[in-house]
Amino acid sequence: MAVLWWWSSSCLSSRAVAAALLCLLVAHGSDGTRHNSNNGGGSGSSSSSKSHKQGGGGRAHAAPTTPSPSPYPSPAAGNNSSSDDGWLNARATWYGAPNGAGPDDNGGACGFKGVNMPPFSAMTSCGNEPIFKDGKGCGSCYQIRCKAHPACSGVAETVIITDMNYYPVAPYHFDLSGTAFGAMAKDEHNDELRHAGIIDIQFKRVPCQYPGLTVTFHIERGSNPNYLAVLVEYENGDGDVMQVDLMESSPDDGEPTGVWEPMRESWGSIWRMDTRRPLQGPFSLRVTNESGKTLVADQVIPADWQPDNVYSSIVQFE
Ligand SMILES: *[C@@H]1O[C@H](CO)[C@@H](O)[C@H](O)[C@H]1NC(C)=O
Ligand SMILES: *[C@@H]1O[C@H](CO)[C@@H](O)[C@H](O)[C@H]1NC(C)=O
Ligand SMILES: *[C@@H]1O[C@H](CO)[C@@H](O)[C@H](O)[C@H]1NC(C)=O
């Protein structure tokens, strides 16, 4: 069954592919892979193993292989006056519903949820490895524009990386939501552009701006006192989280212990901590961005935290 959608999808999470491989290797009917997610480790597999129905675009049907390190550098954020004012060439395809946000479940390999709603507003994309960067690229922002097709407006639109592109058709390949792909068109020409399916575009990395939003932490389903998985969202600036550290509180007085412990990147923008003894809240979290600046959300997660809850900090990168 996994094989059927395998070939009709160019934008899959690595987890989905791993799950598909397991499906092929393990006898059908075994539910062994699903059980992994109860311990949190595979919390992405159940949602991301859904079929990604491809829209008009793509047809990027290369044989599935393990991604090798890309020889192409990841574009840097910020001012880069070289190469046509920083614009680089890429190819774009699209997937999902024509006016959708990409994946059927409005999520994606980064773990963000409801990407059809603000602040993502369906302006989302899968990136291949120099863009997705093994999850570090989740939440980064790019301007995209197209000029090659008659329906193209040439006007730059901003998209956020929310998913991984497993079958790139070019050194830089954006597999866009139907909405984002159509947004590059002249007024009323969105469908005409989507009909082209695959087009040449230009792109550049830009800082993200989430006006009015602070850095937010979503406790992933399956978290428990010995396993905490946190999705980090809405960082202004480069959007790349390089490190997340956690500080527990003392059970005696509820004050922070003063000891930062590193969390591990789990997948996408999700960071995890596994411990043998129960973790003691409230938790403070320290987020480090790509330029090494840190931001501390002091006791942002209360002692009585619940999985699947969102805890907003009062801090934000500039
Ligand atoms: C600017 O772009 C060039 C190549 O396009 C790259 O080598 C350089 O590191 C970039 N500089 C910055 C500050 O991003
Ligand atoms: C980028 O830097 C160049 C020279 O370093 C400058 O001329 C240009 O105005 C800058 N562009 C932006 C958008 O800041
Ligand atoms: C990291 O955060 C600092 C402080 O908020 C900010 O000035 C800087 O621009 C951020 N770095 C990037 C690359 O966005």
Side-chain angles (χ1 to χ4, degrees):
M1 35 109 194
V3 190
L4 292 178
W5 53 262
W6 183 296
W7 298 103
S8 64
S9 173
S10 74
C11 190
L12 292 171
S13 78
S14 52
R15 291 241 162 232
V17 173
L21 277 169
L22 279 165
C23 283
L24 294 173
L25 295 172
V26 178
H28 283 212
S30 160
D31 57 358
T33 57
R34 286 293 151 89
H35 282 177
N36 288 342
S37 66
N38 285 345
N39 198 24
S43 46
S45 58
S46 55
S47 62
S48 57
S49 57
K50 279 179 197 154
S51 168
H52 285 188
K53 283 218 181 60
Q54 185 121 10
R59 322 272 182 239
H61 298 160
T65 52
T66 309
S68 50
S70 171
Y72 297 95
S74 299
N79 183 14
N80 193 330
S81 54
S82 68
S83 69
D84 190 17
D85 220 8
W87 291 96
L88 295 169
N89 294 321
R91 303 208 95 184
T93 52
W94 64 278
Y95 76 113
N99 293 297
D104 293 342
D105 63 357
N106 294 323
C110 293
F112 302 141
K113 278 127 193 129
V115 297
N116 55 325
M117 294 182 293
F120 302 102
S121 305
M123 291 297 286
T124 56
S125 183
C126 305
N128 64 322
E129 192 45 34
I131 296 161
F132 184 76
K133 294 189 279 185
D134 212 15
K136 291 249 177 0
C138 286
S140 32
C141 296
Y142 288 88
Q143 282 188 340
I144 54 168
R145 69 180 186 195
C146 73
K147 293 176 169 174
H149 191 275
C152 288
S153 73
V155 176
E157 300 285 342
T158 302
V159 294
I160 304 173
I161 302 303
T162 56
D163 208 344
M164 177 184 173
N165 182 342
Y166 206 79
Y167 305 111
V169 298
Y172 299 115
H173 177 187
F174 289 79
D175 199 12
L176 298 157
S177 70
T179 301
F181 195 95
M184 290 185 290
K186 294 173 188 155
D187 286 351
E188 314 288 320
H189 287 73
N190 313 47
D191 283 327
E192 187 187 334
L193 186 60
R194 275 189 290 260
H195 195 71
I198 176 165
I199 57 170
D200 290 324
I201 63 163
Q202 292 182 299
F203 75 102
K204 72 171 150 185
R205 180 86 186 274
V206 292
C208 295
Q209 291 302 329
Y210 297 106
L213 290 175
T214 51
V215 175
T216 294
F217 304 99
H218 178 270
I219 309 258
E220 295 295 293
R221 219 170 281 171
S223 292
N224 61 56
N226 299 97
Y227 162 75
L228 184 71
V230 180
L231 170 72
V232 184
E233 285 191 284
Y234 311 145
E235 319 88 53
N236 281 345
D238 60 26
D240 287 8
V241 174
M242 300 313 280
Q243 181 59 43
V244 179
D245 303 294
L246 178 140
M247 188 185 288
E248 296 174 77
S249 294
S250 154
D252 304 330
D253 58 6
E255 291 298 313
T257 60
V259 181
W260 288 112
E261 294 166 276
M263 299 183 82
R264 288 192 298 122
E265 192 174 15
S266 184
W267 57 277
S269 281
I270 296 171
W271 294 75
R272 66 184 286 172
M273 180 168 283
D274 305 80
T275 58
R276 305 188 71 159
R277 54 166 187 81
L279 289 165
Q280 179 69 48
F283 305 126
S284 305
L285 290 169
R286 184 172 70 181
V287 180
T288 307
N289 76 3
E290 204 173 1
S291 17
K293 288 285 184 312
T294 57
L295 190 136
V296 174
D298 193 31
Q299 296 200 318
V300 64
I301 296 171
D304 62 350
W305 60 269
Q306 297 293 322
D308 218 15
N309 270 15
V310 174
Y311 300 99
S312 294
S313 70
I314 53 168
V315 291
Q316 180 59 279
F317 289 109
E318 282 157 18

